[in-house]
Amino acid sequence: MIRQYAKSAAVRQAIISACSEAFAVSGFHGASMAEIARRAGISHTGLLHHFPRKEDLLTAVLDLQDERSAKYLADHRTAGEASDPATILQGMVSTLVERDRYAGLVELSAVLAGEAAATAHPAHEHFARRYADIRRFLSRLFRQLADEGRLRGTVTPEDLAAATVALTEGLHLQWLYSPERDLNVEDILREMLSAFVPELHPQDGE
């Protein structure tokens, strides 16, 4: 039973990986179930056994994509020494740019986020909640820094949070188009944010 469960889990993981690749190349609407099955190395019937609808696959892919970020945010809601807002921002910058090591994830996010802007897209609500959650999280951090006199400038915490999300997404999109993927998203993001939160500025030797 355990061996059978492990095999089933491995097949599902292979399907989700294949689906991520297909969505990154063709988008949700452009990728077919037959193409996903072919990429996963299983039959169409086998694919339907695990994921009866393409929407089920989309949900699984989105859940996997957000897993690292969700875990990071959850860990730091109650963390002790890391509860300092500047420390959390420092870690979040690294978490947001971690995808740079996985071009497929960056491509997938760019394709799906663009497609899902249409309200009829099955992932529209997912991305709407995702962006709202990130903005709220960042707003809370920037608000705490402002209350403690550690935030520079006149931009409101809420506007700064929205700008941070836009900067991150925009830099990732440019990274996809940069020659040899040589745009350093983390350094640029850290430098830009340090104009508002000086503590984020890289120290000499970093």
Side-chain angles (χ1 to χ4, degrees), residues 9 19 23 42 95 97-98 101 115 137 178:
C19 184
F23 284 173
I42 62 173
T95 300
V97 302
E98 182 185 356
R101 293 198 293 271
E115 277 192 344
F137 181 77
S178 63

Side-chain angles (χ1 to χ4, degrees), residues 144-190:
Q144 185 178 342
L145 288 168
D147 291 344
E148 296 172 0
R150 300 160 63 191
L151 188 68
R152 286 182 180 174
T154 58
V155 180
T156 67
E158 291 72 24
D159 287 348
L160 184 54
T164 300
V165 175
L167 178 61
T168 305
E169 297 286 312
L171 285 172
H172 272 127
L173 186 59
Q174 292 181 65
W175 178 81
L176 287 173
Y177 286 103
S178 63
E180 299 180 5
R181 306 284 166 82
D182 54 358
L183 189 71
N184 194 317
V185 176
E186 180 171 4
D187 283 356
I188 297 172
L189 184 57
R190 199 184 303 279

Side-chain angles (χ1 to χ4, degrees), residues 44-56:
H44 191 191
T45 302
L47 172 62
L48 296 178
H49 171 73
H50 292 279
F51 297 96
R53 304 177 307 146
K54 192 158 62 165
E55 287 78 7
D56 298 326

Side-chain angles (χ1 to χ4, degrees), residues 5 16 20 22 31 42 58 73 89 104 142 150 157 167 172:
Y5 176 81
I16 294 172
S20 296
I42 62 173
L58 178 61
L73 297 182
L89 280 172
F142 289 133
R150 300 160 63 191
L167 178 61
H172 272 127

